[in-house]
Amino acid sequence: MTQHLDPRSPWVISTHDLGKRPGTMLERRLSLPAPADLGVDMIGVPKDAEVELDLRFEAVMEGVLVSGTARAPLAGECARCLDPISSGIEVALQELFFYSDEDASEEDSLLDGELLDLEPTFRDAAVLALPLSPMCGDDCQGLCVECGVRLADAGPDHRHEKIDVRWASLQGLVTENDNDQEK
Ligand SMILES: [Zn+2]
Ligand SMILES: [Zn+2]
């Protein structure tokens, strides 16, 4: 199924300079704005952040083989303490874009004339590289489960006497019952 690509999209790249002769190769460094909605719950690549690509375009019999690396910044929240964190990912890209759907299967990528769309390739690779539970640091102590304070701020002596908490609520119950009886 040939889908028509929008040549104005930054991730749609022309292979015009490469030509179709198998064995021809072209290297390109590109800096492209990150596509929207590239992330999971806690972390992702901010929209329009700069993605640096080192790419190699190679004409092969069936199409154009694109390989290389992409580097993108990440922004999100620490899964333990919810502090903002920023880091980055570097992912390897490799995709064969077929000239014709006769050679390709359903999942394969196709060229639209001389154009190819690198966004899905980058998106798939980037999503796989996102940390499932990002952390601000290996030693993040997270939040206090009782009161939610950041344990790094609260200090090592921070604790709650759990028995006291339960006792207090029991006392609350008793007092309420007493009040009921008095009515
Ligand atoms: Zn943290
Ligand atoms: Zn606490």
Side-chain angles (χ1 to χ4, degrees):
M1 193 182 61
T2 310
Q3 110 199 76
H4 282 288
L5 300 175
D6 179 1
R8 287 166 305 178
S9 162
W11 289 83
V12 170
I13 292 162
S14 169
T15 60
H16 180 81
D17 295 345
L18 180 68
K20 284 195 170 187
R21 203 155 54 92
T24 318
M25 207 170 71
L26 205 73
E27 288 189 341
R28 275 232 186 115
R29 293 196 97 160
L30 296 171
S31 173
L32 299 176
D37 301 322
L38 213 180
V40 291
D41 289 349
M42 305 295 284
I43 199 157
V45 180
K47 183 181 184 297
D48 293 333
E50 207 166 88
V51 181
E52 308 252 358
L53 298 138
D54 269 311
L55 298 174
R56 200 161 84 147
F57 297 80
E58 211 177 329
V60 296
M61 288 299 287
E62 309 88 350
V64 175
L65 178 66
V66 182
S67 54
T69 56
R71 276 179 305 279
L74 289 183
E77 279 178 353
C78 173
R80 280 200 192 161
C81 73
L82 306 179
D83 261 12
I85 49 177
S86 58
S87 58
I89 45 168
E90 179 169 332
V91 293
L93 306 178
Q94 185 163 34
E95 186 87 36
L96 176 56
F97 293 85
F98 287 83
Y99 293 129
S100 154
D101 55 6
E102 286 167 28
D103 300 320
S105 73
E106 284 280 308
E107 306 89 62
D108 286 328
S109 305
L110 292 175
L111 282 142
D112 174 19
E114 293 179 326
L115 300 178
L116 58 82
D117 184 5
L118 213 51
E119 185 187 318
T121 306
F122 169 65
R123 185 180 283 277
D124 290 352
V127 165
L128 284 177
L130 294 175
L132 286 176
S133 68
M135 297 238 280
C136 61
D138 290 338
D139 56 348
C140 176
Q141 298 166 57
L143 303 176
C144 170
V145 293
E146 294 288 325
C147 70
V149 76
R150 287 183 71 233
L151 289 175
D153 296 339
D157 297 331
H158 181 80
R159 62 172 56 85
H160 300 263
E161 300 299 339
K162 290 187 184 175
I163 294 161
D164 279 359
V165 173
R166 282 185 208 149
W167 186 236
S169 63
L170 270 178
Q171 279 181 321
L173 267 177
V174 170
T175 316
E176 275 170 33
N177 287 345
D178 286 347
N179 289 345
D180 285 345
Q181 282 164 4
E182 279 168 19
K183 275 177 192 165

